[in-house]
Amino acid sequence: MYSIFISTTNIEWTIPASLLTTLTTPSNPSNPSSTTPPPLTTLPQTTILTPLDLKITSTPTATTLLTHPRTRKYTAEAVTTAFCKRASLAQQLTHCLTETFFPSVLARAKALDNHMAQTGEPIGPLHGLPISLKDSFNPADTNAALVDILLSAGAVLYAKTNIPQTMMTCDSVNNVFGRVLNPHGGNLTAGGSSGGEGALLALRGSILGVGTDVAGSIRVPGLCCGVVGFKPSAGRVPYGGVAGSGRSGMVGGIPVVAGPMGHCVGDMEVWLRAVLGGRPEEGDAGVVGFPWQEVQEVGDGRLRVGLYVEDASRPLHPNMRRTMKAAVGRLEGAGHTVVDITEQVPSMAEANAIAGRLFSMDPDRTAAKHIERGGEPPIDSLAITYTVGESLPEPSLGELYDLNVRKQGIMDRMRRVWLDNALDVIIAPGYQSCAVPHDTYGMPVYTAFWSLVDYPACVLPFGKANAELDRAELRDVVYEPAYKPEEVEGAPCHVQLVGRRMKDELLMQHAKIVEAVLRE
Amino acid sequence: MYSIFISTTNIEWTIPASLLTTLTTPSNPSNPSSTTPPPLTTLPQTTILTPLDLKITSTPTATTLLTHPRTRKYTAEAVTTAFCKRASLAQQLTHCLTETFFPSVLARAKALDNHMAQTGEPIGPLHGLPISLKDSFNPADTNAALVDILLSAGAVLYAKTNIPQTMMTCDSVNNVFGRVLNPHGGNLTAGGSSGGEGALLALRGSILGVGTDVAGSIRVPGLCCGVVGFKPSAGRVPYGGVAGSGRSGMVGGIPVVAGPMGHCVGDMEVWLRAVLGGRPEEGDAGVVGFPWQEVQEVGDGRLRVGLYVEDASRPLHPNMRRTMKAAVGRLEGAGHTVVDITEQVPSMAEANAIAGRLFSMDPDRTAAKHIERGGEPPIDSLAITYTVGESLPEPSLGELYDLNVRKQGIMDRMRRVWLDNALDVIIAPGYQSCAVPHDTYGMPVYTAFWSLVDYPACVLPFGKANAELDRAELRDVVYEPAYKPEEVEGAPCHVQLVGRRMKDELLMQHAKIVEAVLRE
């Protein structure tokens, strides 16, 4: 258990007011000014971060950093200090944090260093690695099961990250901690619901974070903020003890899953190996408890990639249309086979309607009532999720079962699509655009689909919105939300990679191959 | 797909009427005569079975038999013929079958023999092995996913077995195929809902069968008929395509699981290895799809066995009380450690109430309405399950979620009990008695509990009811159902062994150790 510090930054890590002027939230967040604030990814030049802090926090991947506590290049204390400081700066720029545990984790880091000095051995596969956690991971009375596993593996859990009111929207805003800004443009959503993670990672205030995802809440902030996000299959990573906003005992819908966010697929693997190696079934009766499955299949390394182009209800914006074409071109150029499966995949709009109705199968409207009873204003983007204060048709058992029959039908069809095309992996957009202006994201159709069928899915950053290049992809269609090239210029684009249910290890191996191609 | 033959026996395999006189069902099945019919386990001495048929069908285990088609000691045709004939006799004695596929499977057996002759190789791990299937495995339009796997593995699926009306009771009776009689006493229930499998196996008309279990439907007929029954964890064995009696899309209750029944734990393993090796996830989106997990842990072979003695609501009858004490004595004598966990385990009566209410979470009362609309009389034992023709309180979403919260609480507590006691396996009764007279079984409290928490569980026959020996265990308690030693004399007793969720492989290894101790 952690002691909780309400203040989220140490006083000596405060950015001088003069340097913060250009970084404030637009005055009306739901109607952002058309003047795009400057990207926040370059930290202000203060003396708060020492050269060592900068060097440590600029380490490209957690995998690289993890070798250091063992070789003693950096102590756990130095690594932890550097990330605590940089997270503190990131918080001041983007409101990405909710709680920090800086003094207690510095003590833990020292203890880890002592252990290493005395035994020459790490205490686990994540020895000395700072890991940030979405706010919903409980430190209130007892640790969430996943927290205990990460601690046993040697992680240093130093900060918790901001989320939307109720967690059921793609804009991470609430009345307590404010709005998470996107480091790639203060007018853009950081995504949600793990939006604080996305912003913190993009600013390298974290090197590996943990989010949760029920319709895209890991992948949406990942793709908005230009970082990697991996949504595992349900039942592999423990979710026990994580706070939810909905009714207790809701069942038959789409399970929420916890998963990693970071800077490369290899880091996702390091994290998942550590979690699956931590006997997660001992802390959470809902976990299936199979250890990491070593991937046997290698073949010649040439993948059969199923290409899902778009759903007619959400035409790809020019930036993502160009990005997807570029990704396919790279893959084919590298000798992989790309097969278009778009027409065979069930309607994502219809699947999204099923998912949306499954989310509303709470006759008590628990989350909406929390807002009403608390007397706090609902955040703007919640309009897509809950109709606060309005009476809706009462959900029923019969409707839940009917929705489940339709969901099973979609799962059966996807199983056939996969087998009929002998796929290794699917490539698809994670959203119809790069990050869009605040409160315009809408329903996350391209991520919710894979949540409904419970397929593991991963977003990788790839390319950037570029109005000049993107112009060639402009079509005479109704874009939703509106396509505003000047607002999104330079924002990171992405691809989404999808594997088969429970075959998370295989997806990771395939995603590493695709990542290497896209990063060439 | 199979062609279906309505007649369940070939005319030349008909038992002469003179030999059947003592084997008929009691005239009023719901009120059996106190005169116990003779045990049916000894087949009538007809000339229908040749010495070779008798030798083949007396092979102790499927594992032993499986070696023969390879070494050509017996051809698949000879093996199939022998089991078709013996199943036909069993049907005439106990009404254990619903459909047979004798001509088509004999053709299949010949084809398997030809394959072996030409290639020297079996087509799969179950090459030439006759396997019987519970009636609910669809051959109507398409095969159930499990059927396709068994066929690919080389099995010969020759007969389907009788079940109760709706499958939701422990007496396998219906208005089409009649009542399955228990080979150990025609006055006793064969158990249900896989009652036909139990009777067929006990008469060695099958060497390996497949049942389904949602509250005990594999284990109850197993323990009533003196055979082994293994209920796997949900999600490992495909259930897709199996006919259910309930509403489509019901979710959040207790999943039905398919599993093997037979003569030893090793045969359960042969079956499960074959199924998990058949890529079950390709045929059923509901399967988790992890292959057989080789058991690493061996230790010194000494087990820590958790003993669950009894639930106060269902005191053990003297026969099972003596049996459990004897089993514990054997285990301790063999050097295993037995720890009494009874007081730590949640109330089975309460868990049973939760399970019972979960089964009734169908607002359409689908199974009961099928009976009403068909105008057929409900079978007597259904009174414990459905209140046919009566209006019950309408189940609701809120109640489903509340039940789920309570179920999760029980699962969490069982997880703690297992870890706190560092258990390898649990030994418990599968029922408070051996098989009891028709229509008196009542709620299967001791099996439904492990279904609710989704732990794999296995029943093994051990000992027999013996009024003289059992007398010492008579207590001044209210037995439910009534204890009638003269009615159950000589019926097989049993133990139930329980493993952790999804750790079916580990339970099988531990069950083999216990089985060896009990068979010494």
Side-chain angles (χ1 to χ4, degrees):
Chain A
M1 241 187 305
Y2 288 103
S3 56
I4 298 172
F5 293 82
I6 298 301
S7 81
T8 55
T9 62
N10 287 23
I11 193 77
E12 68 270 30
W13 298 344
T14 304
I15 301 174
S18 61
L19 284 169
L20 272 171
T21 45
T22 57
L23 307 170
T24 46
T25 318
S27 55
N28 179 353
S30 64
N31 183 16
S33 137
S34 64
T35 314
T36 309
L40 308 182
T41 39
T42 310
L43 285 179
Q45 299 303 306
T46 73
T47 56
I48 295 167
L49 295 178
T50 65
L52 179 62
D53 294 335
L54 277 167
K55 194 167 175 194
I56 287 172
T57 56
S58 303
T59 307
T61 67
T63 309
T64 316
L65 196 61
L66 270 171
T67 63
H68 294 318
R70 298 179 199 194
T71 59
R72 311 300 305 268
K73 181 171 173 186
Y74 306 133
T75 62
E77 186 183 3
V79 170
T80 300
T81 301
F83 278 101
C84 286
K85 288 164 81 171
R86 191 148 175 162
S88 176
L89 301 189
Q91 156 65 10
Q92 296 169 72
L93 297 168
T94 64
H95 320 133
C96 57
L97 302 186
T98 57
E99 293 179 27
T100 64
F101 319 104
F102 295 161
S104 64
V105 293
L106 286 168
R108 172 171 166 81
K110 282 181 203 171
L112 290 168
D113 286 332
N114 286 340
H115 175 94
M116 182 73 88
Q118 283 163 18
T119 67
E121 292 295 329
I123 74 160
L126 304 176
H127 184 99
L129 186 74
I131 292 184
S132 49
L133 294 171
K134 186 175 184 175
D135 186 68
S136 46
F137 285 87
N138 261 357
D141 297 319
T142 55
N143 287 340
L146 181 57
V147 165
D148 280 334
I149 290 174
L150 295 174
L151 290 173
S152 294
V156 175
L157 308 180
Y158 64 113
K160 290 176 69 182
T161 54
N162 205 356
I163 56 176
Q165 185 189 45
T166 77
M167 290 192 280
M168 290 303 284
T169 95
C170 295
D171 282 83
S172 294
V173 194
N174 60 70
N175 297 307
V176 179
F177 299 105
R179 178 186 294 275
V180 180
L181 298 181
N182 188 324
H184 297 281
N187 62 320
L188 301 176
T189 183
S193 65
S194 312
E197 281 301 327
L200 181 65
L201 284 159
L203 288 170
R204 294 211 164 253
S206 173
I207 198 149
L208 192 56
V210 185
T212 64
D213 190 315
V214 73
S217 283
I218 284 170
R219 292 162 288 161
V220 172
L223 67 90
C224 286
C225 295
V227 302
V228 176
F230 191 97
K231 177 200 82 72
S233 307
R236 300 213 65 187
V237 173
Y239 186 74
V242 180
S245 58
R247 190 194 195 287
S248 302
M250 269 185 80
V251 72
I254 303 177
V256 193
V257 292
M261 299 174 67
H263 299 296
C264 69
V265 179
D267 286 1
M268 308 293 98
E269 179 175 334
V270 165
W271 185 91
L272 190 61
R273 273 183 189 271
V275 171
L276 297 183
R279 295 192 299 275
E281 68 275 25
E282 297 197 352
D284 183 347
V287 166
V288 294
F290 292 89
W292 176 273
Q293 306 285 301
E294 292 300 341
V295 174
Q296 305 298 327
E297 148 193 12
V298 181
D300 62 356
R302 304 283 167 86
L303 303 179
R304 259 184 85 82
V305 182
L307 168 65
Y308 180 81
V309 176
E310 73 182 356
D311 186 85
S313 75
R314 300 290 192 287
L316 294 194
H317 287 205
N319 49 57
M320 272 303 294
R321 194 168 154 93
R322 181 176 58 80
T323 299
M324 290 297 295
K325 285 183 178 176
V328 168
R330 293 265 192 109
L331 287 167
E332 288 180 332
H336 303 290
T337 303
V338 178
V339 288
D340 190 333
I341 57 165
T342 310
E343 295 304 312
Q344 300 167 57
V345 171
S347 157
M348 288 202 178
E350 184 189 326
N352 191 70
I354 293 171
R357 193 59 192 156
L358 282 170
F359 293 135
S360 74
M361 284 289 111
D362 173 8
D364 300 336
R365 301 170 56 249
T366 304
K369 280 203 178 139
H370 279 314
I371 297 173
E372 289 162 21
R373 285 177 188 155
E376 60 167 313
I379 61 172
D380 289 351
S381 61
L382 260 191
I384 63 158
T385 316
Y386 302 109
T387 313
V388 179
E390 196 181 293
S391 69
L392 288 172
E394 182 83 1
S396 69
L397 273 177
E399 185 183 1
L400 176 68
Y401 301 156
D402 289 343
L403 289 167
N404 188 43
V405 169
R406 292 171 67 193
K407 176 175 108 172
Q408 294 301 328
I410 291 172
M411 291 181 80
D412 283 338
R413 190 146 140 217
M414 271 314 303
R415 177 173 56 81
R416 293 292 349 149
V417 171
W418 199 286
L419 296 174
D420 291 348
N421 292 283
L423 301 180
D424 292 311
V425 66
I426 288 173
I427 190 167
Y431 185 56
Q432 57 267 34
S433 171
C434 60
V436 288
H438 296 160
D439 301 329
T440 66
Y441 196 97
M443 295 300 289
V445 171
Y446 289 102
T447 48
F449 182 82
W450 306 111
S451 294
L452 185 77
V453 297
D454 190 23
Y455 281 27
C458 177
V459 292
L460 301 181
F462 178 52
K464 287 181 187 302
N466 180 315
E468 198 178 318
L469 296 176
D470 295 341
R471 197 170 297 132
E473 300 294 346
L474 199 60
R475 288 173 292 168
D476 184 19
V477 293
V478 178
Y479 292 111
E480 185 203 323
Y483 174 55
K484 298 183 177 173
E486 72 286 358
E487 297 242 20
V488 303
E489 183 67 13
C493 291
H494 68 277
V495 298
Q496 181 175 210
L497 303 173
V498 180
R500 284 174 71 196
R501 183 166 178 251
M502 292 289 175
K503 306 209 182 289
D504 300 72
E505 295 89 341
L506 202 52
L507 172 59
M508 283 186 172
Q509 304 321 306
H510 294 155
K512 282 196 284 193
I513 294 171
V514 175
E515 181 184 49
V517 170
L518 298 186
R519 289 194 174 171
E520 267 165 13
Chain B
M1 240 186 305
Y2 287 103
S3 57
I4 298 173
F5 293 83
I6 299 301
S7 81
T8 54
T9 61
N10 287 23
I11 194 78
E12 69 269 31
W13 298 345
T14 305
I15 301 174
S18 60
L19 284 168
L20 271 171
T21 46
T22 56
L23 308 170
T24 45
T25 317
S27 55
N28 179 354
S30 62
N31 183 18
S33 136
S34 63
T35 313
T36 309
L40 308 183
T41 40
T42 309
L43 286 179
Q45 298 304 305
T46 75
T47 56
I48 295 167
L49 295 178
T50 65
L52 178 63
D53 295 334
L54 277 168
K55 194 167 176 196
I56 288 171
T57 55
S58 302
T59 307
T61 67
T63 309
T64 314
L65 196 61
L66 270 171
T67 62
H68 295 318
R70 298 181 201 193
T71 59
R72 310 300 305 268
K73 182 170 173 188
Y74 305 134
T75 62
E77 187 183 2
V79 170
T80 300
T81 301
F83 279 101
C84 287
K85 287 164 82 172
R86 191 148 175 162
S88 176
L89 301 190
Q91 156 64 9
Q92 296 171 70
L93 296 167
T94 65
H95 319 133
C96 57
L97 302 186
T98 57
E99 292 179 27
T100 63
F101 318 106
F102 295 161
S104 63
V105 294
L106 286 169
R108 173 170 165 80
K110 281 180 203 169
L112 291 169
D113 286 332
N114 286 341
H115 175 94
M116 182 72 87
Q118 282 162 20
T119 67
E121 291 294 329
I123 73 160
L126 304 177
H127 184 99
L129 186 74
I131 293 184
S132 50
L133 293 170
K134 187 175 182 174
D135 186 67
S136 46
F137 285 87
N138 261 356
D141 297 318
T142 55
N143 288 340
L146 181 57
V147 165
D148 280 333
I149 290 175
L150 295 174
L151 289 174
S152 294
V156 174
L157 308 180
Y158 64 113
K160 292 178 66 182
T161 54
N162 204 358
I163 56 178
Q165 186 187 46
T166 77
M167 290 193 280
M168 291 303 283
T169 94
C170 294
D171 281 83
S172 294
V173 194
N174 60 70
N175 297 307
V176 180
F177 300 104
R179 178 187 294 276
V180 180
L181 298 182
N182 189 323
H184 296 281
N187 63 317
L188 301 175
T189 184
S193 63
S194 313
E197 281 300 328
L200 181 65
L201 284 159
L203 287 170
R204 295 213 163 250
S206 174
I207 198 149
L208 192 56
V210 183
T212 64
D213 190 315
V214 73
S217 283
I218 284 171
R219 292 162 288 161
V220 172
L223 68 89
C224 286
C225 295
V227 301
V228 176
F230 190 97
K231 177 200 81 74
S233 307
R236 300 212 66 186
V237 173
Y239 186 71
V242 180
S245 59
R247 189 195 195 288
S248 302
M250 270 185 80
V251 71
I254 303 176
V256 191
V257 292
M261 301 174 67
H263 299 296
C264 69
V265 179
D267 287 359
M268 308 293 99
E269 179 176 332
V270 165
W271 185 92
L272 190 61
R273 274 184 188 269
V275 171
L276 297 183
R279 296 192 298 276
E281 68 276 24
E282 298 197 352
D284 183 348
V287 166
V288 294
F290 291 90
W292 176 272
Q293 306 285 301
E294 291 300 339
V295 173
Q296 305 298 325
E297 151 195 6
V298 180
D300 61 356
R302 302 284 167 86
L303 304 178
R304 260 183 84 81
V305 182
L307 168 66
Y308 180 81
V309 175
E310 73 181 356
D311 186 84
S313 75
R314 301 290 191 288
L316 294 193
H317 287 204
N319 48 57
M320 272 303 294
R321 195 168 153 95
R322 181 176 57 81
T323 299
M324 290 296 295
K325 285 183 178 176
V328 168
R330 291 266 191 109
L331 287 168
E332 289 179 333
H336 304 290
T337 302
V338 178
V339 289
D340 190 333
I341 58 166
T342 310
E343 295 305 312
Q344 302 166 56
V345 171
S347 157
M348 289 203 179
E350 186 189 325
N352 191 71
I354 293 171
R357 193 60 192 155
L358 281 170
F359 293 134
S360 74
M361 283 289 112
D362 173 8
D364 300 336
R365 302 171 54 251
T366 303
K369 281 204 178 139
H370 279 314
I371 297 175
E372 289 161 22
R373 287 179 187 154
E376 59 168 312
I379 60 172
D380 289 352
S381 61
L382 262 190
I384 63 159
T385 316
Y386 303 108
T387 313
V388 179
E390 195 181 293
S391 70
L392 288 172
E394 182 83 2
S396 69
L397 273 176
E399 185 182 1
L400 177 66
Y401 301 157
D402 290 343
L403 289 167
N404 189 42
V405 169
R406 293 171 68 194
K407 176 175 108 173
Q408 295 300 328
I410 291 173
M411 292 182 79
D412 283 338
R413 190 146 140 219
M414 270 315 302
R415 178 173 56 83
R416 294 292 348 150
V417 170
W418 200 284
L419 296 174
D420 291 349
N421 292 283
L423 299 180
D424 292 310
V425 67
I426 289 174
I427 191 167
Y431 184 56
Q432 57 267 32
S433 170
C434 59
V436 288
H438 296 160
D439 302 328
T440 65
Y441 197 95
M443 295 299 289
V445 171
Y446 289 101
T447 48
F449 182 84
W450 306 111
S451 294
L452 185 77
V453 298
D454 189 24
Y455 281 27
C458 177
V459 293
L460 301 182
F462 178 53
K464 289 182 184 304
N466 180 318
E468 196 178 320
L469 296 176
D470 295 341
R471 196 170 299 131
E473 299 296 343
L474 199 61
R475 289 173 292 168
D476 183 18
V477 293
V478 178
Y479 293 111
E480 186 203 322
Y483 173 55
K484 298 183 176 173
E486 73 285 357
E487 298 241 19
V488 304
E489 183 68 11
C493 290
H494 68 277
V495 298
Q496 181 175 210
L497 301 172
V498 180
R500 284 174 71 196
R501 183 166 176 252
M502 292 290 174
K503 303 208 183 292
D504 301 72
E505 295 89 342
L506 203 52
L507 172 58
M508 283 186 173
Q509 305 320 307
H510 294 155
K512 282 196 283 193
I513 295 171
V514 174
E515 180 183 50
V517 170
L518 298 186
R519 289 196 173 172
E520 267 164 14

